[in-house]
Amino acid sequence: MLRLVSTKRIISGVPGWRCFEKVSGTQASTIRAQLKVHSLAPSNRTSTGSLLNPRSVSWLASRLHRGDSQGSADGANDKDGFSLKSISHAPKPALYLGFSGLIPFLAAPLLMAATQTFHPEVAFAQMVYGASIVSFLGGARWGFALPPGSPAGPDWMNLGNSVVPSLLAWLALLCRDNITEGALVVMMGLGLSLHYDLALLPGYPPWFKAMRTILTLVATFSLVATLAIKQFCSEKKVKAIQNSTK
C-alpha cells in the first residue's frame, strides 16, 4: 500500500513535459507532431479565411491572368482562352492584310451614310464580299488541319464543321432579291466561324484568335449599319443615278 501511494504521488507530481521523457523516441515524436498540428490548426483556419478574402481572390486572378498572357506571348496554342492584347504578337503581314480586308465592309455603309441613301447594289456587293470571307474562313480550317503534325487533325470534327461556313455563304448568295436575309446569313456565318475557331476547334495561336475576334465584330457591325441605313434612308439604285446625270 505504501508503494502504491508513493507511486501515485510521484506520478501526480511530475509535470506534463517530463512525462515525454518516459516515452520511447518514436511515440514521443508522434505525440509532438500531433500537438504541433493542433497548435497550428487555428492559424490554418486563419490563413484559409484570408485566402477567401475578395482581395486575395482578385490578386490571385490577376496573377493567373498575367501568367496566361506571358505564356501565350510565344505564340503557343491556348485552349482555355485568350487576351486581345496578344494581337501585338501577330505577324505584320497577317495584321496588315487582315485589317485591310475590312475596307470593303466599312466602305459600303460609309458611302451610303454620307449620301443618306440606301443603294441596293452597294449593299449586295458588301454581302457578296462577306459571303466570300465566310467561305474563306472554312477553307482556312482545311488548310490548317491537313498538314502532318498539325494540332488540329483532319478528323470529322475539324473538316466537317469547316464545310458549314461555305454552305452558309452559298445560301447567302441565293438571297439576291432580299439583302436583309442575305446579310443575316452572312452574319450567322461569321459568328459561327468565330465560335469554331475560339471554342470548338483547337489549334489556332492566341494572336490569330484575337485578330479574328476584332475583325468579325467590325464586319458584323458594318452589316448591321447597312441594314439600319436600309431601314431609315430612302432607296435609290445606282443605275437610276447614272441615268439622271446623263
Side-chain angles (χ1 to χ4, degrees):
M1 293 294 294
L2 293 175
R3 291 181 180 179
L4 292 176
V5 172
S6 60
T7 304
K8 291 182 180 180
R9 289 180 179 177
I10 293 173
I11 295 176
S12 61
V14 175
W17 62 271
R18 291 184 179 178
C19 291
F20 287 106
E21 297 178 357
K22 303 295 183 179
V23 187
S24 61
T26 305
Q27 294 178 351
S29 60
T30 304
I31 295 174
R32 290 192 185 96
Q34 292 178 355
L35 291 176
K36 187 176 181 180
V37 170
H38 287 293
S39 62
L40 291 177
S43 61
N44 288 336
R45 289 194 295 267
T46 305
S47 61
T48 305
S50 62
L51 287 176
L52 296 177
N53 195 322
R55 294 183 179 178
S56 301
V57 174
S58 61
W59 176 83
L60 181 59
S62 64
R63 294 297 297 176
L64 290 175
H65 178 71
R66 289 181 181 179
D68 291 340
S69 61
Q70 292 177 357
S72 61
D74 57 351
N77 295 332
D78 189 6
K79 297 181 180 180
D80 296 333
F82 68 97
S83 174
L84 292 179
K85 295 180 180 180
S86 60
I87 196 174
S88 60
H89 303 285
K92 290 185 178 180
L95 197 64
Y96 294 156
L97 291 175
F99 280 93
S100 62
L102 292 176
I103 295 177
F105 278 113
L106 297 175
L110 289 177
L111 176 63
M112 291 185 288
T115 59
Q116 296 183 355
T117 305
F118 175 75
H119 302 289
E121 296 88 349
V122 176
F124 181 74
Q126 181 194 24
M127 187 262 291
V128 171
Y129 177 75
S132 64
I133 293 298
V134 171
S135 182
F136 165 77
L137 295 175
R141 169 57 58 172
W142 272 70
F144 185 79
L146 291 180
S150 174
D155 52 11
W156 287 100
M157 188 72 168
N158 286 309
L159 299 183
N161 288 322
S162 301
V163 179
V164 177
S166 299
L167 295 176
L168 291 176
W170 171 68
L171 182 61
L173 294 178
L174 296 179
C175 303
R176 180 181 179 87
D177 298 331
N178 195 325
I179 301 298
T180 302
E181 293 181 358
L184 291 176
V185 173
V186 170
M187 287 188 285
M188 185 186 304
L190 291 173
L192 188 63
S193 300
L194 182 63
H195 172 67
Y196 285 165
D197 295 340
L198 296 185
L200 189 58
L201 306 177
Y204 287 136
W207 65 263
F208 183 77
K209 294 181 180 181
M211 187 178 69
R212 282 277 291 108
T213 302
I214 296 175
L215 297 180
T216 300
L217 291 177
V218 175
T220 302
F221 281 120
S222 68
L223 292 170
V224 172
T226 298
L227 296 181
I229 293 173
K230 181 179 183 297
Q231 185 70 25
F232 297 104
C233 295
S234 60
E235 180 178 337
K236 193 172 185 180
K237 295 184 178 180
V238 177
K239 294 182 179 180
I241 297 176
Q242 293 177 352
N243 293 333
S244 62
T245 54
K246 291 181 179 180

